[in-house]
Amino acid sequence: MNDKNSIRKQVIEVLNRIPKQLYEDYSYKIASRLYESEVWKQADVIGITISRPPEVDTYQLIRKAWELGKTVAVPKCNPNDKRMTFRTVTEFCQLESVYYGLLEPIVEVTTEVAKEEMDLMIVPGVAYTRNGFRIGFGGGYYDRYLSGYSGNTISLAFTEQLISDFPVGEYDLPVSKIITPKEVIEII
């Protein structure tokens, strides 16, 4: 089980079996740990995706960031060159459903945020090793984006997403912290 596609498929199957009550409980515990972290407290501009089950719920994180006066930047993917930009979102109605049902910022009502303005990037993924490497959803968008990003990176993961090992490619970059319902894994 070291092929990334088969790992991705297996982990998603496991995540899809988590009962709704546990999913909510785990997401809440992860959010609580995130709010206690210094990087969250100090971040003014946060890059974050709009989650879809079975990913850790990010809606509560976005609402909390707005309450605290933080700027929330959400990715807009460009499938032509597999690159993404981040755009400020101040309310959920500034999002539209694009390919695969993903919610992305509506360009006309949002503004782009430069990479160097972002203090914290919440990096999504399907599976993680304890040394910070991740298997994403297969598009490579984040690996491309993070190659020139120098801010803090955190991934939020259910314990079921932690795996012992998988092949790491030359463009794979580790995140600096993984937060699970049970622990905070500091990598760098």
Side-chain angles (χ1 to χ4, degrees), residues 34-35 37-43 46 61 64-65 68 70:
L34 175 66
Y35 304 152
S37 73
E38 281 308 307
V39 288
W40 168 269
K41 290 177 184 172
Q42 293 170 6
I46 298 171
L61 306 176
K64 183 68 152 184
L68 297 170
K70 297 178 184 295

Side-chain angles (χ1 to χ4, degrees), residues 2-122:
N2 62 2
D3 166 65
K4 283 187 179 181
N5 285 328
S6 62
I7 293 170
R8 186 179 292 121
K9 188 170 179 268
Q10 286 180 347
V11 171
I12 287 173
E13 284 173 11
V14 169
L15 293 177
N16 281 329
R17 289 196 295 268
I18 296 174
K20 177 98 170 113
Q21 306 90 309
L22 269 183
Y23 167 85
E24 294 293 338
D25 187 50
Y26 290 164
S27 289
Y28 174 77
K29 286 177 176 160
I30 290 167
S32 298
R33 288 185 188 283
L34 175 66
Y35 304 152
E36 291 167 11
S37 73
E38 281 308 307
V39 288
W40 168 269
K41 290 177 184 172
Q42 293 170 6
D44 290 323
V45 183
I46 298 171
I48 189 168
T49 57
I50 305 295
S51 62
R52 292 187 312 170
E55 296 173 87
V56 173
D57 174 30
T58 60
Y59 284 87
Q60 60 184 320
L61 306 176
I62 293 167
R63 284 187 204 98
K64 183 68 152 184
W66 287 336
E67 280 173 29
L68 297 170
K70 297 178 184 295
T71 299
V72 172
V74 174
K76 174 83 180 153
C77 296
N78 181 351
N80 297 332
D81 63 2
K82 295 271 195 187
R83 302 218 172 263
M84 64 182 179
T85 55
F86 281 78
R87 306 185 70 81
T88 57
V89 172
T90 55
E91 48 192 3
F92 290 117
C93 66
Q94 295 173 332
L95 300 168
E96 63 183 345
S97 180
V98 292
Y99 58 100
Y100 304 122
L102 293 171
L103 291 175
E104 291 191 350
I106 300 168
V107 172
E108 295 75 23
V109 295
T110 57
T111 51
E112 189 172 334
V113 176
K115 194 181 287 196
E116 52 278 359
E117 289 177 44
M118 261 186 291
D119 304 309
L120 173 61
M121 181 69 58
I122 309 278

Side-chain angles (χ1 to χ4, degrees), residues 148-183:
Y149 177 70
S150 57
N152 291 302
T153 54
I154 293 180
S155 285
L156 311 175
F158 299 121
T159 307
E160 292 82 351
Q161 292 175 272
L162 294 175
I163 61 173
S164 58
D165 202 21
F166 57 79
V168 174
E170 69 175 291
Y171 297 109
D172 294 348
L173 296 165
V175 294
S176 49
K177 188 181 296 203
I178 299 171
I179 299 178
T180 77
K182 295 187 170 100
E183 64 183 323

Side-chain angles (χ1 to χ4, degrees), residues 136-155:
F137 289 88
Y141 286 93
Y142 271 87
D143 290 323
R144 280 184 205 84
Y145 191 86
L146 292 173
S147 67
Y149 177 70
S150 57
N152 291 302
T153 54
I154 293 180
S155 285

